[in-house]
Amino acid sequence: MMAENKRAVVFVRLKDGVLDPQGVTIGKALQQMGYDDFVSVRTGKFFELEINDSNGDIDKKIDEVCSKLLANPVIERYTVERD
Amino acid sequence: MKFGVVTFPGSNCDYDSYAAVRFILGEEVEFLWHKSEDLLGCDAVILPGGFAHGDYLRAGAIARFSPIMDKVVKYAHTGGVVIGICNGFQVLTESGLLPGALIRNDHLRFSCKFVHLRVENNESKFTSVCKKGEVLKIPIAHGEGNYYHFDEDISTLEDSGRVVFRYATPEGEVTDEANPNGSINNIAGITNEGGNVLGMMPHPERAVEDILGSSDGLRVFESLRACFGSSKKVVAS
């Protein structure tokens, strides 16, 4: 029987100090809606990866694809959550 | 000299670049398909504007893995001339040939209009026929042209004359009002350390004839020709 595929979720966020115009605009919208409790908003992305781990070195590969493609290390950082 | 214009799926300024070089500058030019692995002996490679690979993920992020980019990166590392215009600039930062990143315009809108650029360094291969401080009128057309880099790295660029173009007023004054996208220090174009790779958000290929509103963009191509010399044959009448 085939082993069930594994899953990883990658979160990509802008590094501190990098301007996030979308986040600023969303934050302003919240203020206009009267939600004064939310003083700032930062946007980001997440990716769900379905994995058929044949060689058992998947952590290294996840790290590789994050730094090579999913995130731009100049402006972004990433975190990975595994099932 | 011979130019090559890379066409990615989603490039939309490849024909403009081709036409500017062939019909206005009057030099040889070839299209280079992104899956090709041959630069066809071109002296200068242009990565044109557009939305390569749909700009999915981040502008330029997928394009940097197109097969031809391996060759372009190797060519650049051996001193070959590469120009990235708009989306091409984004491909160059994603591929690591130029530092920094191009993030969303600070006002979040796509901006398509003429801007003015002050030539900050006229000793580059791309500005050799310009005067220092000369103002060029060239259009922009982008949603993600906000040049960003960390403070200490910006000083390195500034101190080594690698900021070639800065957004300015028609009189050449660098002001916040003249900055169309929030770029740090009004940066519109930079070169790599070797001075053989240029990235710029404005479109020089769209400003090569007066009928287009300006012919100032031609100065960039003429500068390169001044470095390489023309390959045009003199035809006996």
Side-chain angles (χ1 to χ4, degrees), chain B residues 50-105:
Chain B
F51 300 85
H53 297 273
D55 271 1
Y56 295 141
L57 186 60
R58 295 177 308 275
I62 313 276
R64 73 170 273 216
F65 294 106
S66 274
I68 199 150
M69 283 308 297
D70 267 351
K71 299 290 170 198
V72 172
V73 168
K74 278 185 190 132
Y75 186 56
H77 282 153
T78 56
V81 168
V82 179
I83 312 176
I85 299 167
C86 196
N87 195 219
F89 187 5
Q90 295 160 339
V91 176
L92 289 176
T93 56
E94 283 285 340
S95 63
L97 283 178
L98 289 175
L102 293 145
I103 62 174
R104 190 69 71 95
N105 292 350

Side-chain angles (χ1 to χ4, degrees), chain B residues 47 65 150 196 198 202 218:
Chain B
L47 305 181
F65 294 106
F150 288 103
N196 56 303
L198 168 75
L218 202 50

Side-chain angles (χ1 to χ4, degrees), chain B residues 5 14-15 19 25 27 41 60 78 95 108 111 116 120 130 152 174 177 204 217 223-225 233:
Chain B
V5 178
D14 43 345
Y15 276 80
L25 188 70
E27 292 298 328
T78 56
S95 63
L108 290 173
S111 245
H116 293 87
E120 299 293 287
C130 302
E152 60 271 30
V174 174
E177 291 69 35
S223 294
L224 275 176
R225 178 167 60 191
K233 313 270 186 305

Side-chain angles (χ1 to χ4, degrees), chain B:
Chain B
M1 70 176 293
K2 185 170 162 185
F3 287 78
V5 178
V6 175
T7 301
F8 297 101
S11 293
N12 63 15
C13 297
D14 43 345
Y15 276 80
D16 302 59
S17 303
Y18 183 96
V21 171
R22 179 161 176 199
F23 302 119
I24 312 299
L25 188 70
E27 292 298 328
E28 276 185 82
V29 56
E30 299 262 12
F31 283 119
L32 305 169
W33 179 237
H34 80 116
K35 283 196 169 166
S36 157
E37 294 186 27
D38 187 352
L39 299 181
L40 302 176
C42 292
D43 302 302
V45 176
I46 299 175
L47 305 181
F51 300 85
H53 297 273
D55 271 1
Y56 295 141
L57 186 60
R58 295 177 308 275
I62 313 276
R64 73 170 273 216
F65 294 106
S66 274
I68 199 150
M69 283 308 297
D70 267 351
K71 299 290 170 198
V72 172
V73 168
K74 278 185 190 132
Y75 186 56
H77 282 153
T78 56
V81 168
V82 179
I83 312 176
I85 299 167
C86 196
N87 195 219
F89 187 5
Q90 295 160 339
V91 176
L92 289 176
T93 56
E94 283 285 340
S95 63
L97 283 178
L98 289 175
L102 293 145
I103 62 174
R104 190 69 71 95
N105 292 350
D106 58 355
H107 48 71
L108 290 173
R109 291 183 301 276
F110 189 95
S111 245
C112 186
K113 61 178 184 184
F114 271 105
V115 296
H116 293 87
L117 308 179
R118 191 172 78 186
V119 176
E120 299 293 287
N121 175 355
N122 68 336
E123 289 169 17
S124 87
K125 285 185 166 70
F126 312 93
T127 50
S128 58
V129 304
C130 302
K131 291 193 187 75
K132 191 172 162 92
E134 183 177 338
V135 177
L136 306 179
K137 184 185 166 194
I138 293 181
I140 53 163
H142 61 248
E144 293 170 37
N146 182 350
Y147 185 73
Y148 180 81
H149 209 8
F150 288 103
D151 289 347
E152 60 271 30
D153 302 312
I154 278 292
S155 341
T156 313
L157 280 183
E158 293 280 3
D159 296 346
S160 50
R162 288 167 57 189
V163 176
V164 178
F165 299 116
R166 228 185 278 279
Y167 299 111
T169 65
E171 293 75 36
E173 245 183 289
V174 174
T175 64
D176 287 345
E177 291 69 35
N179 188 339
N181 51 30
S183 288
I184 191 162
N185 295 3
N186 283 40
I187 288 174
I190 57 167
T191 59
N192 67 340
E193 205 176 348
N196 56 303
V197 178
L198 168 75
M200 63 187 295
M201 285 314 295
H203 286 270
E205 83 287 4
R206 292 192 189 180
V208 291
E209 283 180 287
D210 291 340
I211 197 172
L212 299 174
S214 168
S215 57
D216 291 353
L218 202 50
R219 313 278 276 161
V220 174
F221 300 102
E222 286 170 344
S223 294
L224 275 176
R225 178 167 60 191
C227 295
F228 281 88
S230 177
S231 60
K232 261 200 291 190
K233 313 270 186 305
V234 178
V235 182
S237 53

